[in-house]
């Protein structure tokens, strides 16, 4: 099993920044793809960004590209999401997820990830 624990959510004004963290623990796999997803109130879960754990491949959704940055610290087993220029539409519960099989593919599809954290809420006020 892989355990994922998000932190760093909160309330921020539009135009502000937040950095989310996701601590990864538990079973060690040979490679991972780590993703950030979000679920706005009343909407479906949607892809935000993903990164390959042992190489520099990244993938971003079009609506966060240029504003959000996904990164990782392999030594600390921690995934990050730096969110800048936040908008009210970014309000959501943010989840990190791990894909531990077929890791050559950095995928935006939620059901292709195998482990999920509990989420951290981000609220952006206008």
């Amino acid at each position: 099993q892989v355990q994922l624990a998000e932190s760093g959510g909160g309330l921020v004004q539009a135009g502000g920044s937040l950095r989310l963290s996701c601590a990864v623990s538990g079973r060690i796999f040979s490679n991972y793809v780590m993703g950030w997803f979000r679920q706005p109130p009343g909407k479906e879960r949607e892809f935000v960004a993903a990164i390959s754990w042992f190489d520099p491949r990244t993938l971003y959704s079009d609506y966060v590209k240029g504003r959000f940055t996904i990164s990782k610290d392999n030594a600390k087993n921690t995934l990050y999401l730096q969110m800048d220029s936040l908008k009210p539409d970014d309000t959501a519960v943010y989840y990190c997820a791990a894909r531990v099989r077929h890791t050559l593919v950095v995928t935006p599809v939620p059901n292709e990830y195998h482990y999920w954290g509990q989420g951290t809420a981000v609220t952006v006020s206008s």
Side-chain angles (χ1 to χ4, degrees), residues 111-124:
N111 64 11
E112 294 183 356
Y113 286 76
H114 305 104
Y115 297 96
W116 291 83
Q118 294 300 307
T120 186
V122 172
T123 302
V124 184

Side-chain angles (χ1 to χ4, degrees), residues 34 47 49-52 55-60 69-72 106:
M34 299 297 299
F47 171 72
I51 189 167
S52 180
D55 64 61
R57 289 176 296 154
T58 58
L59 182 68
Y60 291 92
T69 304
I70 189 170
S71 64
K72 56 192 168 68
V106 179

Side-chain angles (χ1 to χ4, degrees), residues 6-12 18-21 36-41 83 86 90-96 117-124:
E6 303 95 336
S7 60
L11 175 64
V12 63
L18 278 176
R19 188 176 81 156
L20 306 183
S21 300
W36 285 102
F37 294 81
R38 68 187 185 186
Q39 187 162 14
M83 305 187 295
L86 282 161
D90 295 317
T91 295
V93 177
Y94 284 72
Y95 298 89
C96 69
Q118 294 300 307
T120 186
V122 172
T123 302
V124 184

Side-chain angles (χ1 to χ4, degrees), residues 10-120:
L11 175 64
V12 63
Q13 288 189 329
S17 298
L18 278 176
R19 188 176 81 156
L20 306 183
S21 300
C22 174
V24 184
S25 61
R27 181 178 172 185
I28 304 299
F29 289 84
S30 59
N31 197 9
Y32 303 83
V33 172
M34 299 297 299
W36 285 102
F37 294 81
R38 68 187 185 186
Q39 187 162 14
K43 296 184 179 180
E44 297 289 317
R45 192 169 297 189
E46 61 189 31
F47 171 72
V48 175
I51 189 167
S52 180
W53 197 249
F54 291 114
D55 64 61
R57 289 176 296 154
T58 58
L59 182 68
Y60 291 92
S61 69
D62 287 342
Y63 38 82
V64 306
K65 195 176 296 183
R67 299 189 298 121
F68 291 10
T69 304
I70 189 170
S71 64
K72 56 192 168 68
D73 185 328
N74 295 63
K76 295 182 178 179
N77 287 330
T78 303
L79 177 74
Y80 301 101
L81 184 69
Q82 177 67 41
M83 305 187 295
D84 298 317
S85 302
L86 282 161
K87 304 174 182 180
D89 285 349
D90 295 317
T91 295
V93 177
Y94 284 72
Y95 298 89
C96 69
R99 174 178 168 88
V100 300
R101 295 185 292 277
H102 308 296
T103 55
L104 291 179
V105 179
V106 179
T107 176
V109 180
N111 64 11
E112 294 183 356
Y113 286 76
H114 305 104
Y115 297 96
W116 291 83
Q118 294 300 307
T120 186

